[in-house]
Amino acid sequence: MSNPIDIFKDNWRQAKALNDANAHYCSLATVSKTGQVSVRTLVLREVTVDSFVIFINGTSPKWRQLQDSKQFELLVFWPTLMQQYRIRGDCSEVAVEAMKAHWASKPYESKIIDHYYAEHQPQTSALDSRETLLAGVNALKERYPVDADIPFPENAKGVAVKASYIEVWRGSDVDRLHERHLYLLSGNTWETRVLVP
Ligand SMILES: Cc1cc2nc3c(=O)[nH]c(=O)nc-3n(C[C@H](O)[C@H](O)[C@H](O)COP(=O)(O)O)c2cc1C
């Protein structure tokens, strides 16, 4: 198999079948305007034919950082398979229609917090206290007691990372000479290099 996205999908199925605790997650590293690196865990929502899809909030630092800088990396590690993927590329916003379709299946509390970010405080901003958060959340729950009536907020964003650089690491317990392959997209073709482990 020479397409690393096909390799990823094939192994993702295996990691899920093995109930790998990491199978649903990835880490996203971004850089601020001042060069400060941030890394955090996210749910890996979907992998399409060419992109890795995550959902984040438009009020968050990571959204701002992705707008300000094209420098980021996604990391996936599955301990059950001892495999790591480092993914770079271009990111674009997922179409609002697709986000609206996802919104319908989002848990009630998660919908409420997206509205909290929009109306009260942006994600990751400092609170006066936990009570401040709960008061705002409760007010939103009173306004929207019925899940299906909560409107879609513009800040519910999806990001599709169109990969052009994928490094695959496969651990070897036998001789510690772990296998590393770098796949670089050149036009429509993935070129492969073997890396020193
Ligand atoms: C297991 C796990 C899954 C998470 N999934 C998401 C997610 O899908 N989207 C998201 O925005 N934050 C998710 N988070 C929270 C982020 O790691 C992070 O704390 C938050 O988004 C704020 O990030 P920022 O301040 O760097 O923007 C998750 C955290 C954990 C531990």
Side-chain angles (χ1 to χ4, degrees):
M1 217 184 273
S2 58
N3 181 327
I5 298 182
D6 291 341
I7 294 171
F8 183 96
K9 285 181 179 170
D10 200 38
N11 287 293
W12 198 16
R13 270 189 292 274
Q14 285 185 46
K16 286 177 187 167
L18 291 167
N19 292 322
D20 193 311
N22 277 6
H24 300 286
Y25 307 111
C26 60
S27 303
L28 171 71
T30 54
V31 189
S32 76
K33 277 181 176 166
T34 59
Q36 173 63 53
V37 175
S38 304
V39 62
R40 75 289 279 162
T41 311
L42 302 174
V43 174
L44 179 61
R45 300 282 169 177
E46 187 190 359
V47 180
T48 68
V49 70
D50 60 6
S51 299
F52 294 75
V53 180
I54 52 178
F55 291 166
I56 64 178
N57 193 270
T59 67
S60 69
K62 61 189 147 334
W63 172 261
R64 273 198 309 281
Q65 287 163 14
L66 287 172
Q67 308 310 302
D68 291 343
S69 160
K70 297 293 158 206
Q71 307 304 312
F72 67 90
E73 189 166 273
L74 268 185
L75 179 133
V76 171
F77 169 50
W78 297 317
T80 54
L81 301 175
M82 284 308 280
Q83 286 184 15
Q84 170 182 266
Y85 295 79
R86 295 170 65 176
I87 300 152
R88 301 180 194 166
D90 290 322
C91 62
S92 61
E93 191 174 341
V94 172
V96 170
E97 287 318 310
M99 294 311 295
K100 283 185 177 167
H102 164 70
W103 181 256
S105 65
K106 201 166 173 170
Y108 176 76
E109 306 279 347
S110 306
K111 290 178 177 170
I112 291 287
I113 196 74
D114 275 335
H115 278 276
Y116 185 89
Y117 300 147
E119 289 185 29
H120 292 264
Q121 284 192 225
Q123 188 177 25
T124 307
S125 63
L127 286 156
D128 291 342
S129 66
R130 183 86 182 160
E131 285 66 40
T132 305
L133 171 73
L134 297 179
V137 163
N138 287 336
L140 284 162
K141 285 182 175 174
E142 276 173 30
R143 191 193 314 161
Y144 300 122
V146 178
D147 186 349
D149 294 342
I150 309 181
F152 173 78
E154 301 230 328
N155 65 14
K157 304 284 192 191
V159 174
V161 172
K162 186 175 180 306
S164 55
Y165 172 113
I166 299 182
E167 193 227 291
V168 185
W169 182 100
R170 286 191 182 79
S172 162
D173 285 343
V174 183
D175 54 11
R176 321 301 292 178
L177 287 180
H178 313 297
E179 266 184 59
R180 291 177 68 198
H181 286 96
L182 177 61
Y183 296 84
L184 296 170
L185 190 62
S186 169
N188 290 326
T189 310
W190 284 99
E191 293 176 355
T192 315
R193 308 219 196 315
V194 181
L195 302 184
V196 177

Short mmCIF file of all heavy atoms in Angstrom, two decimals, residues 16-39:
data_model
loop_
_atom_site.label_atom_id
_atom_site.label_comp_id
_atom_site.label_asym_id
_atom_site.label_seq_id
_atom_site.Cartn_x
_atom_site.Cartn_y
_atom_site.Cartn_z
N LYS A 16 -9.33 0.30 16.56
CA LYS A 16 -10.69 0.32 17.14
C LYS A 16 -11.11 -1.09 17.52
O LYS A 16 -11.68 -1.31 18.58
CB LYS A 16 -11.68 0.91 16.14
CG LYS A 16 -11.57 2.41 15.99
CD LYS A 16 -12.56 2.88 14.93
CE LYS A 16 -12.39 4.34 14.61
NZ LYS A 16 -13.12 4.73 13.39
N ALA A 17 -10.80 -2.05 16.63
CA ALA A 17 -11.17 -3.44 16.91
C ALA A 17 -10.47 -3.95 18.16
O ALA A 17 -11.01 -4.79 18.89
CB ALA A 17 -10.84 -4.32 15.71
N LEU A 18 -9.28 -3.42 18.43
CA LEU A 18 -8.53 -3.83 19.63
C LEU A 18 -8.90 -2.98 20.85
O LEU A 18 -8.27 -3.08 21.91
CB LEU A 18 -7.02 -3.68 19.36
CG LEU A 18 -6.44 -4.69 18.36
CD1 LEU A 18 -5.03 -4.25 17.91
CD2 LEU A 18 -6.37 -6.08 18.99
N ASN A 19 -9.93 -2.12 20.69
CA ASN A 19 -10.38 -1.23 21.78
C ASN A 19 -9.24 -0.36 22.30
O ASN A 19 -9.11 -0.14 23.52
CB ASN A 19 -10.99 -2.02 22.94
CG ASN A 19 -12.29 -2.66 22.53
OD1 ASN A 19 -13.07 -2.06 21.79
ND2 ASN A 19 -12.52 -3.89 22.97
N ASP A 20 -8.42 0.11 21.40
CA ASP A 20 -7.33 1.02 21.79
C ASP A 20 -7.94 2.29 22.38
O ASP A 20 -8.78 2.94 21.74
CB ASP A 20 -6.50 1.36 20.54
CG ASP A 20 -5.19 2.03 20.90
OD1 ASP A 20 -5.21 2.99 21.69
OD2 ASP A 20 -4.14 1.58 20.39
N ALA A 21 -7.50 2.64 23.61
CA ALA A 21 -8.08 3.82 24.28
C ALA A 21 -7.80 5.11 23.51
O ALA A 21 -8.50 6.10 23.67
CB ALA A 21 -7.51 3.92 25.70
N ASN A 22 -6.78 5.10 22.67
CA ASN A 22 -6.44 6.30 21.90
C ASN A 22 -7.11 6.33 20.52
O ASN A 22 -6.89 7.28 19.77
CB ASN A 22 -4.92 6.35 21.65
CG ASN A 22 -4.16 6.93 22.82
OD1 ASN A 22 -4.74 7.20 23.86
ND2 ASN A 22 -2.87 7.09 22.65
N ALA A 23 -7.88 5.31 20.21
CA ALA A 23 -8.35 5.17 18.82
C ALA A 23 -9.24 6.34 18.37
O ALA A 23 -9.37 6.57 17.17
CB ALA A 23 -9.07 3.85 18.63
N HIS A 24 -9.84 7.03 19.32
CA HIS A 24 -10.76 8.11 18.91
C HIS A 24 -10.12 9.49 18.96
O HIS A 24 -10.77 10.49 18.67
CB HIS A 24 -12.02 8.09 19.78
CG HIS A 24 -12.73 6.78 19.67
ND1 HIS A 24 -13.46 6.43 18.55
CD2 HIS A 24 -12.76 5.72 20.50
CE1 HIS A 24 -13.92 5.21 18.71
NE2 HIS A 24 -13.53 4.75 19.87
N TYR A 25 -8.84 9.54 19.34
CA TYR A 25 -8.24 10.85 19.62
C TYR A 25 -7.01 11.14 18.77
O TYR A 25 -6.40 10.24 18.19
CB TYR A 25 -7.86 10.94 21.10
CG TYR A 25 -9.02 10.61 21.99
CD1 TYR A 25 -9.03 9.45 22.76
CD2 TYR A 25 -10.13 11.45 22.02
CE1 TYR A 25 -10.13 9.14 23.55
CE2 TYR A 25 -11.23 11.14 22.81
CZ TYR A 25 -11.22 9.99 23.57
OH TYR A 25 -12.31 9.68 24.34
N CYS A 26 -6.67 12.43 18.74
CA CYS A 26 -5.42 12.86 18.13
C CYS A 26 -4.90 14.02 18.98
O CYS A 26 -5.61 14.50 19.86
CB CYS A 26 -5.66 13.30 16.69
SG CYS A 26 -6.81 14.68 16.52
N SER A 27 -3.69 14.46 18.71
CA SER A 27 -3.16 15.67 19.36
C SER A 27 -2.89 16.68 18.27
O SER A 27 -2.37 16.32 17.20
CB SER A 27 -1.85 15.37 20.10
OG SER A 27 -2.06 14.35 21.04
N LEU A 28 -3.24 17.92 18.55
CA LEU A 28 -3.00 19.00 17.59
C LEU A 28 -2.03 20.00 18.20
O LEU A 28 -2.31 20.57 19.26
CB LEU A 28 -4.33 19.71 17.26
CG LEU A 28 -4.20 20.99 16.42
CD1 LEU A 28 -3.80 20.66 14.97
CD2 LEU A 28 -5.50 21.79 16.44
N ALA A 29 -0.91 20.20 17.53
CA ALA A 29 0.05 21.22 17.96
C ALA A 29 -0.09 22.43 17.05
O ALA A 29 -0.15 22.29 15.82
CB ALA A 29 1.47 20.67 17.88
N THR A 30 -0.17 23.61 17.68
CA THR A 30 -0.26 24.86 16.92
C THR A 30 0.76 25.84 17.48
O THR A 30 1.34 25.60 18.54
CB THR A 30 -1.68 25.48 17.02
OG1 THR A 30 -2.00 25.62 18.41
CG2 THR A 30 -2.72 24.64 16.32
N VAL A 31 0.92 26.97 16.79
CA VAL A 31 1.90 27.98 17.21
C VAL A 31 1.21 29.34 17.25
O VAL A 31 0.47 29.69 16.33
CB VAL A 31 3.07 28.07 16.20
CG1 VAL A 31 4.18 28.95 16.73
CG2 VAL A 31 3.60 26.71 15.85
N SER A 32 1.47 30.10 18.31
CA SER A 32 0.88 31.44 18.40
C SER A 32 1.73 32.43 17.60
O SER A 32 2.83 32.10 17.17
CB SER A 32 0.82 31.89 19.87
OG SER A 32 2.12 32.28 20.27
N LYS A 33 1.22 33.64 17.49
CA LYS A 33 1.95 34.70 16.77
C LYS A 33 3.32 34.94 17.38
O LYS A 33 4.25 35.36 16.70
CB LYS A 33 1.15 36.01 16.80
CG LYS A 33 0.08 36.07 15.74
CD LYS A 33 -0.64 37.40 15.82
CE LYS A 33 -1.67 37.53 14.72
NZ LYS A 33 -2.59 38.64 14.96
N THR A 34 3.44 34.72 18.70
CA THR A 34 4.73 34.96 19.36
C THR A 34 5.62 33.73 19.35
O THR A 34 6.70 33.74 19.94
CB THR A 34 4.52 35.40 20.83
OG1 THR A 34 3.81 34.36 21.50
CG2 THR A 34 3.75 36.70 20.93
N GLY A 35 5.14 32.66 18.71
CA GLY A 35 5.97 31.45 18.62
C GLY A 35 5.75 30.45 19.74
O GLY A 35 6.44 29.44 19.81
N GLN A 36 4.76 30.74 20.62
CA GLN A 36 4.46 29.79 21.69
C GLN A 36 3.74 28.58 21.10
O GLN A 36 2.72 28.72 20.44
CB GLN A 36 3.58 30.46 22.76
CG GLN A 36 3.07 29.50 23.83
CD GLN A 36 4.20 28.89 24.64
OE1 GLN A 36 5.04 29.59 25.19
NE2 GLN A 36 4.24 27.56 24.73
N VAL A 37 4.27 27.40 21.34
CA VAL A 37 3.65 26.16 20.86
C VAL A 37 2.60 25.70 21.88
O VAL A 37 2.83 25.78 23.09
CB VAL A 37 4.73 25.06 20.69
CG1 VAL A 37 4.10 23.73 20.32
CG2 VAL A 37 5.74 25.49 19.64
N SER A 38 1.44 25.22 21.38
CA SER A 38 0.42 24.60 22.25
C SER A 38 0.05 23.26 21.64
O SER A 38 -0.07 23.14 20.42
CB SER A 38 -0.85 25.44 22.31
OG SER A 38 -0.58 26.75 22.72
N VAL A 39 -0.18 22.28 22.50
CA VAL A 39 -0.62 20.98 22.01
C VAL A 39 -1.76 20.50 22.89
O VAL A 39 -1.75 20.74 24.10
CB VAL A 39 0.56 19.97 21.95
CG1 VAL A 39 1.16 19.71 23.31
CG2 VAL A 39 0.18 18.67 21.29
#
